[in-house]
Amino acid sequence: MERSISLIMPAYNEEDTLEFSVTSACEKLRQYNFDYEIFIFNDGSTDKTGMIANYLASIDLRIKVIHNAKNMNLGFNFANGIRMATKEYTGLLPCHGQTSPESFDNILPWLHGIDVVVTYISNPEVRPCIRNIISRINVWLVNFIFRLNLKYYHLNFYRTEVLKKIPTSTDSYALMVELLVYAVKSGASYKEVPITLKKRKFGKSKALRFKNIINIFKTYARLFWQVRVLRKRINLN
C-alpha cells in the first residue's frame, strides 16, 4: 500500500544546503515508496536559495516553491504549508542540512495509522553547548507547564487530517510546541522516535533571535490559558 506525505521545507539563505536537503529527502521517500509533495518556502532569502529552489522544482513536478518577499519566520511558513497539504501525512524538514537522511529510516515506517510521530535528537552534542542548554530548558519548561513528558517538540510528522483541525496563533518557532501540545492533550496517538543531526557547516540557527524568544513566551502564556485554564481540547475524530 502506497503511503503519502506533504513535506514542508522552509529555507532562509540556505544556498549551500538546500539541494542536498531536498534531494536526500526525495531519495528516502522513494525508497520507502511514498507518494509525496514538497513545499519549499524561500523565506525572503538574499542569496541563491530561490534560484536553486526553482531549479529543483523544474526537475521534479512534485516540488512546489513559494517565494516570500520578506522573511516571515518558520511558523508562518509551516502554517501556510498545512493549508496547502494534500497528502496523508504532513511534516517539517528545515533546509539547513543538519537532519541526517538516515533519520527517515526511523520516521517513515511509523507513518501509518498513528496521529503524530514525535522526533527527538539522539546526538545533541553536535550542536553548540548554549543551544543544547536552551533546548533542554525549553523542553523541561513545556513539560512542566502542560504536564507532559515528551523528549522534544520541534520536528514532528502529523496525520494531515488531525493537523488541519488544530488552531494556529503564532508565526514563530513556538508554533511547533503549540501544535504538539494541542494534539497530545486532545488525545492524539503518538510515537517518539530518535533522529540524528550532523554538525552545521554553513550559516547559523535563526531560532534564538530575540524576536523569536519574545514570541515563544507570548505563545506559551496564551497556550497555558487555553489548554490548562480553559481546558480547551480539539475534536480529532
Side-chain angles (χ1 to χ4, degrees):
M1 178 180 174
E2 188 178 58
R3 292 169 290 172
S4 65
I5 187 170
S6 300
L7 202 57
I8 301 169
M9 302 186 69
Y12 176 59
N13 290 344
E14 303 288 7
E15 63 180 4
D16 294 307
T17 56
L18 176 60
E19 185 169 1
F20 169 79
S21 298
V22 174
T23 56
S24 60
C26 289
E27 288 173 5
K28 280 294 182 180
L29 293 172
R30 289 193 291 266
Q31 177 185 333
Y32 281 87
N33 196 33
F34 268 76
D35 175 30
Y36 64 86
E37 61 185 2
I38 292 177
F39 299 106
I40 301 174
F41 285 87
N42 172 31
D43 198 19
S45 299
T46 57
D47 61 5
K48 296 179 181 178
T49 295
M51 185 185 306
I52 296 168
N54 287 339
Y55 165 72
L56 293 169
S58 73
I59 61 176
D60 188 340
L61 297 179
R62 292 169 290 189
I63 298 174
K64 302 172 179 64
V65 182
I66 299 89
H67 296 282
N68 295 335
K70 62 179 181 179
N71 183 253
M72 299 301 293
N73 220 329
L74 183 144
F76 176 90
N77 294 311
F78 194 67
N80 273 353
I82 293 170
R83 287 188 282 270
M84 298 168 67
T86 65
K87 303 303 181 181
E88 181 184 6
Y89 280 87
T90 298
L92 170 71
L93 182 66
C95 295
H96 47 45
Q98 281 190 278
T99 308
S100 71
E102 292 73 26
S103 296
F104 280 101
D105 295 326
N106 294 332
I107 297 167
L108 297 179
W110 287 99
L111 298 184
H112 179 67
I114 200 165
D115 292 326
V116 193
V117 172
V118 182
T119 72
Y120 63 91
I121 299 169
S122 62
N123 60 332
E125 65 276 3
V126 303
R127 300 200 301 186
C129 181
I130 187 65
R131 179 71 191 278
N132 271 334
I133 292 172
I134 293 174
S135 178
R136 289 178 182 178
I137 292 172
N138 180 62
V139 170
W140 177 87
L141 180 64
V142 175
N143 280 335
F144 177 77
I145 292 174
F146 298 103
R147 296 182 179 177
L148 295 171
N149 189 30
L150 297 172
K151 298 177 182 178
Y152 198 59
Y153 280 86
H154 294 295
L155 188 62
N156 306 307
F157 294 75
Y158 295 80
R159 195 157 54 86
T160 304
E161 182 182 2
V162 167
L163 191 55
K164 287 181 180 287
K165 294 178 180 179
I166 303 174
T168 59
S169 65
T170 178
D171 62 0
S172 76
Y173 201 67
L175 175 65
M176 311 314 294
V177 171
E178 182 176 51
L179 292 170
L180 189 56
V181 168
Y182 263 127
V184 174
K185 297 299 281 188
S186 298
S189 59
Y190 67 92
K191 172 69 178 180
E192 292 183 283
V193 302
I195 61 171
T196 55
L197 297 184
K198 298 186 300 179
K199 190 171 183 179
R200 190 173 184 126
K201 295 182 180 180
F202 304 99
K204 59 183 180 179
S205 173
K206 293 88 178 176
L208 299 182
R209 290 183 294 188
F210 180 74
K211 178 183 176 182
N212 281 343
I213 294 173
I214 296 300
N215 284 336
I216 284 170
F217 283 107
K218 286 182 178 178
T219 301
Y220 289 2
R222 183 168 53 247
L223 191 59
F224 177 83
W225 178 257
Q226 293 289 333
V227 173
R228 288 293 308 280
V229 178
L230 300 182
R231 303 187 64 81
K232 181 178 178 179
R233 300 294 184 266
I234 310 301
N235 184 358
L236 302 179
N237 297 321

